Amino acid sequence: MLGMRRAGKSSIQQVLFNNLAPKQTFYLESTMRIVKHTYDTIIPLEIWDCPGNISVDKVGASLAEFSAVIFVIDIRDVYNQPISKLVEFITAFYDVNPTVNFEVFVHKAEKLQDDDKYENFRQINERVNDRLYDLSADYEQLPLNFHLTSIYDSSLHEAFSRVIHKLVDSLAYLEHLLNVFIANIQCPKAYLYDVKSCLYIATDASPVDAATHSLSCEFIKLLNTLGPLYTSTSGTPIWSSDGDSALSSSTSVSSGSSDTTSLATKARKKALFYPSAATTTQTGTTVTYHLITEHLALLSLLPTVVYESRRGIVEYNVVFLREGVQEICDAEKEARIVDSGTETVKNT
Amino acid sequence: MGASGSGKTSMRSLIFSNNPASLTSRLGATIDVEQNHVRFLGDLILNLWDCGGQDAFMDSYLATQRSTIFSHVGVMIYVFEVESRNESEMVYYADCLDALKTYSPESAVFLLVHKMDLIREPKEPVFEARKKQLLDATGDTVASIFGTSIYDESLYRAWSQIVHSLIPNATVLSKHLTTFADACSATEVVLFERTTFLVIATSSSSQSQRSALDPTRYERTSELIKAFKYSCSRIREEFHTLCVELDGFTAVLDEMTKNTYVLVIIHNPVIEVSAIKLNIAMARRKFEELQRVEHT
Ligand SMILES: Nc1nc2c(ncn2[C@@H]2O[C@H](COP(=O)(O)OP(=O)(O)OP(=O)(O)O)[C@@H](O)[C@H]2O)c(=O)[nH]1
Ligand SMILES: Nc1nc2c(ncn2[C@@H]2O[C@H](COP(=O)(O)OP(=O)(O)O)[C@@H](O)[C@H]2O)c(=O)[nH]1
Ligand SMILES: [Mg+2]
């Protein structure tokens, strides 16, 4: 992640991957040197948070080693300096790593009203392209993408998700599974999310609209926070099959006198248990949540009447999707072990 | 009540109008008294007076409008900014207490030490010092005091207590919730007011199990659901129900009566969500009746 000082790079990293409340980013200290953060999801990420004044030769690694570059630019900063910096990096990357995904986050977008927001976005986009074109027509080939982002809403999650999609080799297979899933249960939209960061790893072929995306994002955040509130803080289970209180269960288990069949059922239930949830709105939409792997969850949006009348079909298809996704994840992992002698980590 | 800028209108807009904290900076100073009627539980209507805190208004509340402002008060909520040290504020506060004693001697008093988010950790000593100062100024009047901020669940904790003190027969509700919890094999059942999502009452059995749960869970649930409701409204949807089967517990949040939502928390993995929903459906009539009886 590159960009001028105070553009919001550290905030982006902290909000997405360290669960920092957006308002708390106010207290973040200025980044003085490159900080590398790792994050493990369907692919392992290594995110380099670079200081604002970094120059091309100070990156400390060959530019060829990066899979993606995110350049963060304050939306009110339509002037020369950040744009020159951006152009400098684009041209440097183009020389050694012309296929790198170059992503520009036009950031702090919530600060402006809609009209100014789109106008500034357009200006930044245009200025960068004009500058590049002046330098050489070759640069038109560069895959350069612009996103409007803000840590205060799900626009940041959407933009970062799109960055990750380009790095996941198995994306097409995941998308295919989701397409089959929505066709089978006739639901309009399904996402596969990384639960901790609220980034979606894949979605079906229908277009992503901000409304369903933000609703599913907010739903995951709700579940992430709600979970710990009603699970035991002390580690002792709240409920046990052979006693009314948590206390009596822990004593009976340790004395070895507990009912073995009920423990066996419990263990079996545990092995097959995948958390799930659903929320409905007054207008008749249901958002479902099914955990698929340790990190990933399936979110689907469908009419409540459909959900209620086809609950069985939905659950049945979730099982198949889960098997498919798990196989893909295993294959990803294996592939990584195989070539772990060479380059293993995707740098961003 | 409270000095201008202390955050009264902000908290009102969060709790009663479902606005997010980020929009409060756009609020202008309140001119005179803004009244709100909020239908709470059945026939219980909360009549909320947000009194603009600029000196000119305070002077008039305490002089010419004295009997109008201070008669028939159920609770007086006085908001103090945690960082402000203002002598005239304490003079107004003392005078308000005095007027309250004359015109509504039965009224409860709540003191909110507000904008707690602005002070650095450790917050506890700062709060304790301010608490001591305020309670000293309160004299022999009984007052409850809370540290609050619009940016976290503390606001919901304070306001749940405020509302709770206004609900007649809250214990009866709690008793019925306990019966309902037992019927569902629930660890606990929580009743929320529908628009504010403030906690009205909770079941009271399974004490030993509940003590293992996070003690801030009620206010944090209020805050969470309010935030989710706001996200729904931003895309022109309106929140309706929630069911979760997570690792460790099952929960259903659904409408109980016209003005309330019920949250049923179950730790027994054998119990299915649909059974809980059925139980809620069957309990609705009873709780509607309860509300009607209580307020007539
Ligand atoms: N940091 C912080 N700011 C807050 C908090 N609550 C309110 N504010 C801010 O304080 C300012 C004043 O809030 P108001 O609610 O308008 O104050 P008021 O008490 O109604 O003032 P008058 O109507 O003049 O009496 C706003 O800019 C709010 O955003 C809080 O908990 N923390
Ligand atoms: N309004 C707004 N402020 C933001 C946003 N993202 C970051 N900031 C603020 O911008 C400031 C600088 O952020 P920081 O992450 O330290 O910038 P860095 O130097 O690029 O790492 C902080 O005060 C953040 O709170 C955003 O989306 N909207
Ligand atoms: Mg006001």
Side-chain angles (χ1 to χ4, degrees):
Chain A
M1 290 200 292
L2 299 165
M4 307 302 281
R5 257 193 207 300
R6 312 291 296 160
K9 303 174 290 298
S10 309
S11 307
I12 289 175
Q13 195 278 327
Q14 293 287 317
V15 167
L16 287 178
F17 301 108
N18 209 15
N19 217 359
L20 189 73
K23 187 163 181 282
Q24 294 297 320
T25 58
F26 185 76
Y27 302 104
L28 286 178
E29 282 178 19
S30 210
T31 312
M32 302 313 276
R33 51 185 181 82
I34 297 175
V35 186
K36 299 173 190 175
H37 302 272
T38 56
Y39 186 81
D40 199 22
T41 170
I42 189 160
I43 51 164
L45 296 172
E46 188 172 291
I47 299 158
W48 291 27
D49 182 5
C50 301
N53 58 355
I54 198 166
S55 55
V56 174
D57 48 319
K58 291 269 169 53
V59 173
S62 159
L63 298 188
E65 287 177 33
F66 295 88
S67 310
V69 184
I70 295 173
F71 192 95
V72 184
I73 181 167
D74 188 317
I75 189 160
R76 293 158 304 175
D77 236 346
V78 288
Y79 310 102
N80 250 327
Q81 222 192 3
I83 290 175
S84 308
K85 192 100 184 170
L86 172 55
V87 168
E88 182 190 323
F89 272 103
I90 293 174
T91 51
F93 267 95
Y94 186 78
D95 291 340
V96 284
N97 191 355
T99 57
V100 71
N101 296 303
F102 217 106
E103 315 282 342
V104 181
F105 283 14
V106 180
H107 193 56
K108 310 194 189 182
E110 99 288 344
K111 288 228 167 189
L112 299 182
Q113 300 287 327
D114 273 359
D115 285 355
D116 293 339
K117 183 158 87 187
Y118 295 120
E119 177 55 24
N120 281 21
F121 184 70
R122 194 191 58 77
Q123 275 190 27
I124 291 174
N125 199 324
E126 195 177 272
R127 284 192 187 159
V128 174
N129 282 317
D130 286 354
R131 285 276 209 90
L132 286 173
Y133 193 77
D134 286 349
L135 289 172
S136 153
D138 290 350
Y139 293 127
E140 268 190 322
Q141 315 292 323
L142 254 168
L144 185 61
N145 304 291
F146 289 81
H147 313 259
L148 270 168
T149 59
S150 164
I151 52 172
Y152 288 97
D153 55 46
S154 53
S155 61
L156 174 64
H157 294 83
E158 182 165 355
F160 212 100
S161 297
R162 289 180 189 276
V163 175
I164 291 190
H165 295 166
K166 296 172 192 148
L167 309 179
V168 179
D169 295 332
S170 53
L171 183 69
Y173 306 108
L174 294 170
E175 286 177 343
H176 179 66
L177 281 173
L178 289 162
N179 284 333
V180 171
F181 177 79
I182 65 159
N184 283 352
I185 67 165
Q186 289 171 13
C187 100
K189 193 76 200 153
Y191 296 94
L192 193 64
Y193 269 94
D194 176 67
V195 177
K196 241 182 87 204
S197 63
C198 280
L199 297 174
Y200 68 96
I201 301 302
T203 183
D204 63 89
S206 69
V208 173
D209 66 307
T212 63
H213 172 257
S214 94
L215 191 60
S216 43
C217 241
E218 296 300 329
F219 189 36
I220 295 173
K221 285 185 201 160
L222 169 76
L223 294 171
N224 284 348
T225 327
L226 192 71
L229 291 185
Y230 294 94
T231 40
S232 167
T233 45
S234 60
T236 34
I238 306 273
W239 186 87
S240 81
S241 53
D242 50 14
D244 271 334
S245 77
L247 276 179
S248 75
S249 89
S250 53
T251 47
S252 69
V253 170
S254 58
S255 65
S257 66
S258 62
D259 176 356
T260 45
T261 55
S262 81
L263 271 184
T265 14
K266 234 169 93 185
R268 200 160 55 238
K269 198 160 164 106
K270 192 86 191 163
L272 290 176
F273 181 77
Y274 285 100
S276 65
T279 184
T280 64
T281 67
Q282 303 278 4
T283 46
T285 303
T286 295
V287 187
T288 67
Y289 167 102
H290 289 90
L291 201 67
I292 297 292
T293 72
E294 190 191 344
H295 299 295
L296 305 179
L298 170 74
L299 272 280
S300 69
L301 289 100
L302 68 175
T304 301
V305 281
V306 174
Y307 179 62
E308 276 166 2
S309 61
R310 299 166 155 251
R311 182 75 194 267
I313 299 178
V314 173
E315 301 294 342
Y316 183 78
N317 278 281
V318 168
V319 173
F320 275 91
L321 182 113
R322 180 178 289 129
E323 281 174 4
V325 173
Q326 286 181 349
E327 265 175 43
I328 292 172
C329 288
D330 291 344
E332 278 269 359
K333 237 180 231 150
E334 233 163 74
R336 234 175 287 139
I337 293 168
V338 169
D339 54 38
S340 65
T342 60
E343 177 223 35
T344 55
V345 189
K346 307 237 174 194
N347 296 338
T348 301
Chain B
M1 283 289 174
S4 183
S6 58
K8 302 177 293 297
T9 309
S10 303
M11 51 175 82
R12 179 166 62 108
S13 86
L14 247 80
I15 301 267
F16 296 98
S17 314
N18 203 18
N19 284 329
S22 55
L23 291 185
T24 58
S25 52
R26 300 187 190 164
L27 293 170
T30 306
I31 305 303
D32 238 321
V33 180
E34 273 176 28
Q35 297 194 21
N36 260 105
H37 298 269
V38 189
R39 182 175 284 277
F40 232 81
L41 286 190
D43 301 331
L44 175 67
I45 294 173
L46 200 68
N47 187 358
L48 193 72
W49 289 20
D50 175 1
C51 305
Q54 295 174 47
D55 287 359
F57 298 133
M58 291 302 283
D59 291 337
S60 134
Y61 305 149
L62 289 161
T64 50
Q65 293 180 279
R66 199 170 176 103
S67 69
T68 327
I69 296 281
F70 291 97
S71 298
H72 312 295
V73 176
V75 285
M76 176 171 83
I77 304 154
Y78 213 106
V79 182
F80 297 90
E81 227 176 294
V82 62
E83 284 189 312
S84 84
R85 288 290 147 127
N86 184 331
E87 274 315 306
S88 75
E89 180 179 30
M90 297 313 289
V91 174
Y92 282 131
Y93 172 55
D95 203 359
C96 284
L97 277 181
D98 195 49
L100 198 65
K101 228 181 221 163
T102 316
Y103 293 97
S104 304
E106 300 291 298
S107 157
V109 176
F110 283 87
L111 309 179
L112 305 185
V113 177
H114 194 53
K115 307 197 186 179
M116 287 294 289
D117 58 287
L118 292 180
I119 51 175
R120 284 172 179 271
E121 296 287 357
K123 298 177 191 273
E124 201 54 29
V126 182
F127 174 68
E128 285 301 326
R130 190 82 161 122
K131 178 175 171 180
K132 185 173 177 315
Q133 178 221 1
L134 292 176
L135 289 182
D136 283 348
T138 308
D140 53 3
T141 308
V142 181
S144 312
I145 184 159
F146 293 91
T148 55
S149 162
I150 54 171
Y151 293 105
D152 63 35
E153 76 279 0
S154 59
L155 192 66
Y156 290 91
R157 185 173 127 77
W159 277 87
S160 278
Q161 296 292 321
I162 292 170
V163 160
H164 194 83
S165 75
L166 286 168
I167 295 172
N169 296 329
T171 47
V172 177
L173 269 178
S174 169
K175 205 185 99 217
H176 282 89
L177 288 175
T178 306
T179 310
F180 180 60
D182 292 343
C184 295
S185 301
T187 310
E188 71 180 347
V189 170
V190 187
L191 197 68
F192 296 94
E193 195 281 326
R194 186 195 180 99
T195 42
T196 58
F197 254 85
L198 295 172
V199 175
I200 294 172
T202 65
S203 64
S204 58
S205 54
S206 343
Q207 198 46 51
S208 66
Q209 299 172 27
R210 290 159 71 222
S211 66
L213 299 179
D214 189 320
T216 63
R217 64 191 177 283
Y218 301 137
E219 51 267 28
R220 291 182 61 192
T221 306
S222 298
E223 190 201 14
L224 260 178
I225 303 292
K226 277 298 275 277
F228 190 62
K229 277 178 78 175
Y230 176 71
S231 319
C232 289
S233 72
R234 272 214 308 199
I235 58 161
R236 285 183 212 86
E237 290 278 4
E238 196 187 331
F239 171 74
H240 188 203
T241 67
L242 172 70
C243 299
V244 302
E245 293 174 83
L246 298 184
D247 204 3
F249 75 96
T250 304
V252 175
L253 178 66
D254 202 347
E255 290 166 319
M256 185 59 124
T257 67
K258 239 172 40 229
N259 318 77
T260 60
Y261 259 84
V262 71
L263 174 67
V264 181
I265 301 286
I266 293 190
H267 288 90
N268 180 342
V270 176
I271 294 171
E272 300 289 338
V273 161
S274 41
I276 308 173
K277 282 180 156 172
L278 195 63
N279 275 345
I280 296 175
M282 297 204 296
R284 280 200 182 110
R285 225 182 57 213
K286 176 77 192 161
F287 277 86
E288 287 283 6
E289 272 169 26
L290 262 174
Q291 278 189 18
R292 268 200 299 278
V293 176
E294 280 186 17
H295 307 298
T296 46

